[in-house]
Amino acid sequence: MDLMPENEKPADHTPIGLNVAAPVVAAIARDFSQAMEEGLVKKSGPLKMLPSFLTRPSGREKGLFISLDFGGTNIRVQVVKLEGNGQWQILKMQSLPLRDPRGQYDLTLSTTSAEELFAFLADQIAALADKETRYSLGHTFSFPCNQIAINRAELIQWTKEIRTAGVEGQEVGLLLAEALARKGLQNVRPVAIINDTVGTLLTAAYLDPCADIGTICGTGHNTCYWEPSLNQIVNMESGNFDRLPVTIYDLELDKESEKPGKQRLEKMVAGHYLGELARLIAVKQFGTFLPPYSLDAKGLAQLIAGEDSSLLGLQGQETARVKEIGLELITRSARLVAATFLGVLARIDPGLESRHTIAVDGSLYEKMPGYAAAINKTLAEALGEKAPLVTTKLSKDGSGVGAAIAAALAEERFL
Ligand code: BGC
């Protein structure tokens, strides 16, 4: 679906059509602001604008918490001590992949049941929790959920190609509580469920009062922000934004994906898809032979950084060409993502009068060569002399600490 009006379309500066020129960035930012309004007011359009029931923390939240982080790649459990002065300590941590690299298990398949998945999560919690200590648990669950209360969220649909059976449409908190009860973990009480973007923002805001946008640029992509009219953090599920100039490769990737028509922005910008887009382009343009999804973002990063990429299955000349495509794809990703940030800024501070910190987590922003710089360059280009008011900042592992902060905020409310 190509929704960009014909007269606003950019001239293609690359044969593949990956260039996102400044006027296109501006047009996307405008359309994004518009979609935010539609989502908030009319509950329609591509942005779900989901409530979190959380506002920004004061930085004084304190206590010992367990955080469970379920993203798209790993399951991470942490025991987190919030110290109440904007500081924290991670006392214990355990992390396991959702798909065992040696093929022993895969929790993302449609043949895995919700019960098996949540039993696995409860096992990881049991391995870290002290039997004699009582914990409140904050759960980061990085998928679109209808949030009913701080501790109640129903999975709308899986994203990032996950297919585990029996979770869509279910209350994730209940599935976890049941699994914990079955393992006899009565000392662990789940009190908050949040999106990873919300966790990223909470972590940054624990220290920095200017933090009002939280985003993930990793396996998946999404952004949340603090909506002044609601005094609440809103999870936009911006990966589903779809008013974008697409190429034939985007259309092809979407058609072959688990959920065609959904998560169109995510499929153009996120780590799970960038390698596959590069592969599709290479197959069409140079007849490269590589199986679907055999090139991942890590491989692309190696290629771009000029590291040994002999294991990627590319032959001679192909290596240089795929590197080139990869560079164009990551620049496009960064520019599209930056355009959505500009859309949020235009809504929350139309005249751009105040300082804003955009808290970012995720492997693309952290590790992909040139990615963070391309986001910052796009913002600077669009904001001109006001650019110094807007800072992007890595909020590393923010989603785990953020779950602890959410649990502390939930306790304040419940007690
Ligand atoms: C999910 C979001 C999540 C993002 C980053 C997307 O696929 O829909 O909820 O925030 O990935 O993990």
Side-chain angles (χ1 to χ4, degrees), residues 142-144 159-160 195-197 216 220-222 235 237 263 266:
S142 314
F143 300 91
T159 55
K160 296 175 272 204
N195 186 257
D196 51 354
T197 55
I216 302 288
H221 172 68
N222 182 19
N235 166 17
E237 285 298 326
Q263 300 294 105
E266 180 167 67

Side-chain angles (χ1 to χ4, degrees), residues 270-351:
H272 188 76
Y273 302 100
L274 285 179
E276 178 62 3
L277 280 173
R279 187 194 71 86
L280 286 171
I281 297 171
V283 169
K284 272 252 164 50
Q285 299 240 324
F286 335 117
T288 301
F289 180 75
L290 286 175
Y293 285 91
S294 55
L295 191 58
D296 61 7
K298 204 167 161 197
L300 217 52
Q302 274 173 0
L303 209 60
I304 289 170
E307 288 166 15
D308 177 21
S309 49
S310 50
L311 292 177
L312 298 179
L314 296 164
Q315 320 283 326
Q317 271 289 308
E318 284 176 347
T319 312
R321 287 163 158 175
V322 176
K323 175 176 173 177
E324 206 96 319
I325 296 169
L327 275 169
E328 288 185 30
L329 281 167
I330 66 158
T331 307
R332 180 180 74 153
S333 165
R335 292 182 70 79
L336 292 176
V337 162
T340 68
F341 299 161
L342 291 163
V344 180
L345 289 167
R347 175 179 176 86
I348 59 179
D349 185 2

Side-chain angles (χ1 to χ4, degrees), residues 87-376:
Q87 306 289 318
W88 64 80
Q89 281 185 53
I90 311 280
L91 301 182
K92 292 188 202 170
M93 166 153 120
Q94 165 145 326
S95 179
L96 275 177
L98 278 174
R99 303 173 183 85
D100 179 33
R102 288 156 306 170
Q104 299 290 305
Y105 65 86
D106 185 342
L107 298 170
T108 67
L109 298 177
S110 55
T111 46
T112 303
S113 68
E115 210 170 275
E116 284 164 326
L117 171 63
F118 283 84
F120 188 88
L121 300 185
D123 281 338
Q124 310 315 311
I125 295 167
L128 242 67
D130 222 326
K131 289 216 169 50
E132 285 71 49
T133 310
R134 296 191 73 78
Y135 302 93
S136 290
L137 177 141
H139 182 182
T140 303
F141 187 73
S142 314
F143 300 91
C145 285
N146 272 326
Q147 191 95 29
I148 308 157
I150 295 190
N151 60 347
R152 294 186 58 193
E154 192 182 275
L155 175 62
I156 301 171
Q157 75 196 20
W158 284 125
T159 55
K160 296 175 272 204
E161 312 298 302
I162 294 184
R163 287 174 293 163
T164 318
V167 191
E168 287 182 330
Q170 299 302 308
E171 266 203 43
V172 177
L174 280 182
L175 293 173
L176 180 66
E178 284 163 10
L180 290 171
R182 278 197 292 271
K183 301 270 171 205
L185 285 165
Q186 275 78 9
N187 57 327
V188 181
R189 191 170 62 118
V191 296
I193 304 180
I194 57 168
N195 186 257
D196 51 354
T197 55
V198 176
T200 300
L201 175 52
L202 289 175
T203 305
Y206 193 58
L207 265 174
D208 173 359
C210 297
D212 48 12
I213 298 177
T215 187
I216 302 288
C217 298
T219 308
H221 172 68
N222 182 19
T223 301
C224 74
Y225 74 108
W226 178 73
E227 168 57 45
S229 70
L230 302 171
N231 186 22
Q232 192 178 150
I233 299 171
V234 172
N235 166 17
M236 295 192 284
E237 285 298 326
S238 61
N240 195 46
F241 186 64
D242 60 2
R243 298 170 186 173
L244 296 159
V246 294
T247 66
I248 51 166
Y249 308 101
D250 299 305
L251 295 173
E252 190 173 338
L253 182 143
D254 180 54
K255 195 171 99 216
E256 297 303 320
S257 68
E258 191 59 35
K259 295 211 163 66
K262 307 255 194 250
Q263 300 294 105
R264 298 301 300 275
L265 173 64
E266 180 167 67
K267 288 173 188 163
M268 295 168 78
V269 303
H272 188 76
Y273 302 100
L274 285 179
E276 178 62 3
L277 280 173
R279 187 194 71 86
L280 286 171
I281 297 171
V283 169
K284 272 252 164 50
Q285 299 240 324
F286 335 117
T288 301
F289 180 75
L290 286 175
Y293 285 91
S294 55
L295 191 58
D296 61 7
K298 204 167 161 197
L300 217 52
Q302 274 173 0
L303 209 60
I304 289 170
E307 288 166 15
D308 177 21
S309 49
S310 50
L311 292 177
L312 298 179
L314 296 164
Q315 320 283 326
Q317 271 289 308
E318 284 176 347
T319 312
R321 287 163 158 175
V322 176
K323 175 176 173 177
E324 206 96 319
I325 296 169
L327 275 169
E328 288 185 30
L329 281 167
I330 66 158
T331 307
R332 180 180 74 153
S333 165
R335 292 182 70 79
L336 292 176
V337 162
T340 68
F341 299 161
L342 291 163
V344 180
L345 289 167
R347 175 179 176 86
I348 59 179
D349 185 2
L352 200 58
E353 313 286 348
S354 321
R355 293 192 166 279
H356 300 273
T357 303
I358 304 173
V360 198
D361 200 1
S363 48
L364 275 183
Y365 183 84
E366 192 190 351
K367 299 190 184 137
M368 184 64 85
Y371 194 81
I375 290 187
N376 293 333

